[in-house]
Amino acid sequence: AFVDDLGLDELLVYKFDEAKGTLTPNDPPFVKLDAGSGPRHFVLAPNGKLAYVVAEMRASVTTFTYNPIAGEFHSLETVSAHPKDYHGPNEAAEIEIHPSGRFLYASNRGEDDGVHIYSIDPSKGTLVEGGYIKSGGKTPRSFEIDPTGTLLFAENEKSDNVTVFGIDQKTGRLTPTGKVLDVPAPVCLKFLTIQ
């Protein structure tokens, strides 16, 4: 189990005992991020060998290699989660990886209210700049990619709406579909499997 600790600037790592349902600190018990970065959310790549952390205070994304046997992370790089030449407040919020493992997305709240798009280098796992798009509302605290990987739903908390974007399967770029859902203060959206 992994826990982002914004105040400690650490990604905490716990071993899960399935029989007892308990958590114990791993050895090592955490990986340190840059001081003042404020890690907020974490995502594992589908291959289980890479991980990405979005940091709220620095509006950055850090790429890690991950050893699932030892529970160890090693930092590869940290890149900005802001559009080029942006110098306003830092409030990165959400991070998601496309089901294909080829693209990564990170949202920002504040003056730049939008979603940053990255391509993932298939051999190294590092991030390649792929563009930025406004979220279609205010304060995109969260977003979710549908299970088919064709749509991204941006939850804009302070404009009471969810904006729907199409995902280009070749480039990862986002295009507004024109569909906007009116939802009071949306902050989380999840897809469930119906059986």
Side-chain angles (χ1 to χ4, degrees), residues 80-88 111-112 116 129 132:
S80 175
H82 276 306
K84 194 175 181 182
D85 300 324
Y86 176 79
H87 302 290
E111 294 173 20
D112 63 331
H116 208 112
E129 176 67 39
Y132 194 86

Side-chain angles (χ1 to χ4, degrees), residues 68-137:
I69 295 169
E72 290 181 336
F73 291 89
H74 296 283
S75 176
L76 288 178
E77 69 171 351
T78 299
V79 298
S80 175
H82 276 306
K84 194 175 181 182
D85 300 324
Y86 176 79
H87 302 290
N90 292 329
E91 293 186 11
E94 184 64 89
I95 189 167
E96 291 286 339
I97 194 164
H98 190 269
S100 68
R102 296 177 54 214
F103 313 111
L104 187 83
Y105 302 89
S107 67
N108 284 299
R109 302 163 288 168
E111 294 173 20
D112 63 331
D113 288 328
V115 179
H116 208 112
I117 305 156
Y118 306 93
S119 293
I120 299 173
D121 183 293
S123 60
K124 298 185 242 173
T126 52
L127 301 177
V128 178
E129 176 67 39
Y132 194 86
I133 190 166
K134 290 288 192 175
S135 68

Side-chain angles (χ1 to χ4, degrees), residues 40-52:
R40 181 175 171 90
H41 285 288
F42 160 92
V43 66
L44 267 176
N47 67 10
K49 296 177 182 176
L50 295 164
Y52 302 88

Side-chain angles (χ1 to χ4, degrees), residues 6-78:
L6 186 143
L8 293 175
D9 294 317
E10 294 174 352
L11 175 63
L12 307 172
V13 183
Y14 294 91
K15 292 179 185 177
F16 175 64
D17 185 320
E18 192 172 345
K20 296 178 184 175
T22 58
L23 296 173
T24 55
N26 189 54
D27 182 17
F30 62 86
V31 62
K32 197 79 173 159
L33 280 87
D34 291 340
S37 61
R40 181 175 171 90
H41 285 288
F42 160 92
V43 66
L44 267 176
N47 67 10
K49 296 177 182 176
L50 295 164
Y52 302 88
V53 174
V54 66
E56 178 176 355
M57 309 307 287
R58 288 247 174 102
S60 61
V61 176
T62 301
T63 303
F64 294 93
T65 58
Y66 174 60
N67 178 337
I69 295 169
E72 290 181 336
F73 291 89
H74 296 283
S75 176
L76 288 178
E77 69 171 351
T78 299

